């Protein structure tokens, strides 16, 4: 048996993370999650991508919204609004408990890794879920509306401003979390999977942590990304809009170029199969498969496909 390391953002990444968690024994899977979206709001420490992965793997996520909890109620928000409090970021009543308890634990000196592992265990998640770093990294966007912290861009401004640069404050001095470092150092590492997350806003912050690019570059394990662009569009969120604003053509080859040297293979959607040669020109083996994950079956099927691609690449390495 070999270990699998998945790099993951929020909603798109969590879909494949669920497929992997349904396919692999918990001890064989480490999911490293972006924390560039984390922020402090109303005195609370909020980690949106970690929470999306936690809730998804625990079976608590709202299937429609993709974020937050199912069967949520919003009385706290109603009351906050009536009191004239900041109401642009939605915090459901059930969700609120997680933020309050995380904030208390962080203030008491626990690391985000420890808090995340504790919640995962409490919620019955077997796979290891860990932040990319226990140090603060904050995604900041330079936009037509000025500099915006990630949640101000993503939620408050609904991704409307034009983006011309993205930076990750704190990344230069951040250290990989222990789970991340340990997973990368395993000699039974069988695959590194870059989930179909936003390359610029969800994966780049992970790659900005010192040592991550070098470790991916040097890894003997097969490295496979799943393309978040299907048919020239994002499945959800601002990936395609961002690519246009950053002057990048919205096609799978651009994703392969973005991860050049960091991945061995890119899984693209079957409907984009005609793009395979362009992807391979960017130095990645191209595999076309069904990558649109609507139902749990789709997520599990894509997890199988990706693990199969990893097996194929390992066999090719052994034969070479
Ligand atoms: P966020 O942090 O909540 O924005 O989530 P992620 O960064 O993890 O995922 C956003 C990306 O996932 C977008 O680029 C979407 O196009 C992509 N995405 C969402 N669902 C799917 C899917 O079912 N299949 C594929 N291939 N990409 C998806």
């Amino acid at each position: 048996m070999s270990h699998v390391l998945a790099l993951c953002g929020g909603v798109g990444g969590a879909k494949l993370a669920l497929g992997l968690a349904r396919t692999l024994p918990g001890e064989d899977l480490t999911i490293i999650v972006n924390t560039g979206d984390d922020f402090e709001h109303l005195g609370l420490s909020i980690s949106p991508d970690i929470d999306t992965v936690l809730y998804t793997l625990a079976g608590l996520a709202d299937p429609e919204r993709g974020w937050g909890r199912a069967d949520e109620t919003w009385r706290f928000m109603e009351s906050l609004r009536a009191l004239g409090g900041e109401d642009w970021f939605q915090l459901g009543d059930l969700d609120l408990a997680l933020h309050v308890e995380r904030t208390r634990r962080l203030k008491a000196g626990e690391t985000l890794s420890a808090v995340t592992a504790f919640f995962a265990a409490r919620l019955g998640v077997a796979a290891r879920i860990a932040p990319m770093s226990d140090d603060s990294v904050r995604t900041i966007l330079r936009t037509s509306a000025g500099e915006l912290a990630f949640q101000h861009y993503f939620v408050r401004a609904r991704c409307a401003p034009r983006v011309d640069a993205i930076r990750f404050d704190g990344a230069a001095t951040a250290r990989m979390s222990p789970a991340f470092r340990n997973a990368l150092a395993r000699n039974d590492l069988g695959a590194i999977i870059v989930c179909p997350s936003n390359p610029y806003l969800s994966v780049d912050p992970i790659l900005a942590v010192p040592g991550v690019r070098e470790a991916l570059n040097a890894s003997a394990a097969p490295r496979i990304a799943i393309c978040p662009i299907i048919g020239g569009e994002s499945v959800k969120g601002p990936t395609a809009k961002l690519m246009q604003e950053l002057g990048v053509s919205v096609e799978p080859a651009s994703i392969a170029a973005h991860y050049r040297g960091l991945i061995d293979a890119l899984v693209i959607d079957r409907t984009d199969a005609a793009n395979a040669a362009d992807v391979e020109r960017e130095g990645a083996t191209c595999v076309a498969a069904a990558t649109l994950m609507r139902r749990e079956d789709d997520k599990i099927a894509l997890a199988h496909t990706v693990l199969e691609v990893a097996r194929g690449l390992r066999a090719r390495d052994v034969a070479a």
Side-chain angles (χ1 to χ4, degrees), residues 221-240:
R223 304 154 305 170
I224 301 147
I226 297 82
C227 186
I229 294 292
I230 301 180
E233 286 175 20
S234 320
V235 178
K236 188 194 142 285
T239 307

Side-chain angles (χ1 to χ4, degrees), residues 7-16 34 37 48-49 52-53 65-67 150 154 195-203 226-230 233-240 243 255 267-269 290-295 298-299 302:
L7 309 183
C8 180
V11 177
K15 291 184 189 175
L16 183 61
N34 168 42
D37 301 6
D49 285 356
T52 296
V53 175
R65 283 196 312 273
W67 56 270
F150 180 83
F154 200 76
C195 289
S197 289
N198 186 316
Y200 309 94
L201 296 176
S202 294
V203 182
I226 297 82
C227 186
I229 294 292
I230 301 180
E233 286 175 20
S234 320
V235 178
K236 188 194 142 285
T239 307
M243 290 173 86
I255 305 296
V267 179
I268 66 170
D269 196 75
T291 71
L292 187 60
M293 296 172 281
R294 286 204 188 89
R295 301 174 338 156
D298 307 328
K299 300 169 193 173
L302 185 57

Side-chain angles (χ1 to χ4, degrees), residues 115-270:
V115 179
T116 305
F118 180 79
F119 288 155
R122 291 289 298 193
L123 297 177
V125 176
R128 176 173 293 273
I129 303 174
M132 63 194 200
S133 175
D134 287 320
D135 302 316
S136 160
V137 176
R138 295 291 178 265
T139 299
I140 309 286
L141 298 102
R142 207 174 68 200
T143 78
S144 51
E147 275 203 357
L148 296 176
F150 180 83
Q151 298 297 343
H152 285 78
Y153 164 77
F154 200 76
V155 178
R156 198 179 204 170
R158 300 198 166 87
C159 308
R162 191 176 37 74
V163 173
D164 52 44
I166 302 165
R167 65 166 204 268
F168 309 110
D169 282 1
T173 53
R175 291 153 299 176
M176 272 184 247
S177 64
F180 198 179
R181 217 174 321 108
N182 293 342
L184 284 168
R186 290 178 74 120
N187 49 25
D188 66 344
L189 190 60
I192 300 175
I193 297 169
V194 182
C195 289
S197 289
N198 186 316
Y200 309 94
L201 296 176
S202 294
V203 182
D204 278 359
I206 303 177
L207 300 177
V209 176
V212 174
R213 279 179 177 277
E214 292 79 354
L216 289 189
N217 216 297
S219 179
R223 304 154 305 170
I224 301 147
I226 297 82
C227 186
I229 294 292
I230 301 180
E233 286 175 20
S234 320
V235 178
K236 188 194 142 285
T239 307
K241 177 176 178 283
L242 266 177
M243 290 173 86
Q244 278 156 358
E245 291 165 357
L246 297 172
V248 179
S249 159
V250 188
E251 57 180 310
S254 302
I255 305 296
H258 189 76
Y259 294 137
R260 199 180 179 104
L262 303 175
I263 59 168
D264 301 297
L266 183 71
V267 179
I268 66 170
D269 196 75
R270 225 169 244 150

